[in-house]
Amino acid sequence: MKRNRPIKATVLALLSILLLSIGVAAPSSAAPTKNGTGDTRAEAFWDKWGVAKKTQAELRKKAATGTFLDADIAGSSPISTDVLERDGSRSTVQTFVDGSISVSSIELPQEAISAHGGVTTLAAIGQCTTYGGAGWASYQNCLVAHETSTISISFRATYEKYQGANAQIPSHCCGSITTYGGVSVSDPIRNTYYVRDSGTYGQAVVTYTAAVKSWNGAYSEVIALSLRVSTNGSVSVTTY
């Protein structure tokens, strides 16, 4: 038996070389498993935002074909939009024709107002902090995020608002994207647009962009996430 081991090892090695030579290899992006999304993350996401179980089942079947859900396709028009404050963020939840949803959010700090109307004391939820004084406020290191059942993209930004003056986004960082259920990143996340001061176009804007593709390579999309702070002080998170 001991004398046969080298022979067996040689045969196995030759078989491995043969398989590689004819192109037998694991795909770079495996198809989703039988639940159609690859893991329980999609179910947890849908449950959190109230998607019905029957709709979830239909979405799994659609995802299993390698087709993007409506929430993952740029330009899809939502059939309903809700704005909620939950888990320390202000979130915009959009529902699409096929029942899929997207959630765009910005982390909200708790503003502690000084009894004397002067400098505001530091306050925080997570890593987002705010301070300010009469006619101005700074929101530092706040998380900007967008999620669907298969994509999670985010970055952090500091933005400032001034009464009677331009708004600013003086800094931003930490772009991140994670994909699930057979969807993969085809172009890594990066900062693609930045206007620091709202004086030029009426908005200070920062945009992070990445590209994704379906597990079978049949569908691809560019995901762009933006924070916009206008001169009048309004703050919005947009995607395309």
Side-chain angles (χ1 to χ4, degrees):
M1 293 297 291
K2 291 183 179 179
R3 286 177 299 187
N4 290 337
R5 288 178 182 174
I7 296 175
K8 290 181 178 179
T10 301
V11 172
L12 290 173
L14 291 173
L15 180 59
S16 297
I17 293 171
L18 176 61
L19 290 173
L20 289 172
S21 69
I22 62 175
V24 178
S28 58
S29 297
T33 56
K34 63 181 181 180
N35 72 358
T37 55
D39 53 28
T40 59
R41 189 267 177 185
E43 183 176 6
F45 173 76
W46 288 327
D47 285 346
K48 177 179 178 180
W49 298 103
V51 178
K53 291 294 186 182
K54 180 180 179 181
T55 301
Q56 292 185 29
E58 294 170 351
L59 292 173
R60 289 189 185 97
K61 290 179 182 179
K62 183 176 181 179
T65 67
T67 303
F68 275 162
L69 304 182
D70 289 354
D72 291 323
I73 299 175
S76 293
S77 299
I79 59 175
S80 67
T81 300
D82 295 300
V83 179
L84 308 169
E85 289 194 10
R86 180 174 176 177
D87 300 330
S89 294
R90 184 175 68 247
S91 299
T92 300
V93 184
Q94 295 186 318
T95 303
F96 297 85
V97 173
D98 64 357
S100 60
I101 64 169
S102 68
V103 181
S104 301
S105 60
I106 183 166
E107 188 178 11
L108 295 177
Q110 292 179 334
E111 294 186 82
I113 301 173
S114 168
H116 303 290
V119 175
T120 302
T121 57
L122 284 174
I125 297 177
Q127 298 184 53
C128 184
T129 61
T130 182
Y131 66 93
W136 68 280
S138 178
Y139 304 84
Q140 298 195 349
N141 202 34
C142 297
L143 183 67
V144 179
H146 176 77
E147 287 187 277
T148 68
S149 60
T150 56
I151 299 167
S152 178
I153 182 172
S154 65
F155 62 88
R156 288 189 175 273
T158 292
Y159 61 98
E160 299 175 348
K161 298 186 289 185
Y162 303 89
Q163 185 175 355
N166 296 332
Q168 292 186 358
I169 302 176
S171 64
H172 55 88
C173 72
C174 312
S176 174
I177 184 169
T178 305
T179 57
Y180 310 87
V183 172
S184 61
V185 177
S186 55
D187 192 13
I189 189 169
R190 63 187 186 277
N191 172 226
T192 54
Y193 188 69
Y194 180 43
V195 178
R196 177 188 173 105
D197 191 286
S198 67
T200 303
Y201 303 109
Q203 289 183 327
V205 183
V206 58
T207 301
Y208 278 74
T209 304
V212 297
K213 62 181 180 179
S214 60
W215 62 265
N216 59 2
Y219 296 87
S220 62
E221 285 291 339
V222 173
I223 308 297
L225 175 64
S226 300
L227 172 66
R228 302 174 183 273
V229 186
S230 66
T231 300
N232 66 13
S234 65
V235 179
S236 62
V237 177
T238 61
T239 60
Y240 67 84

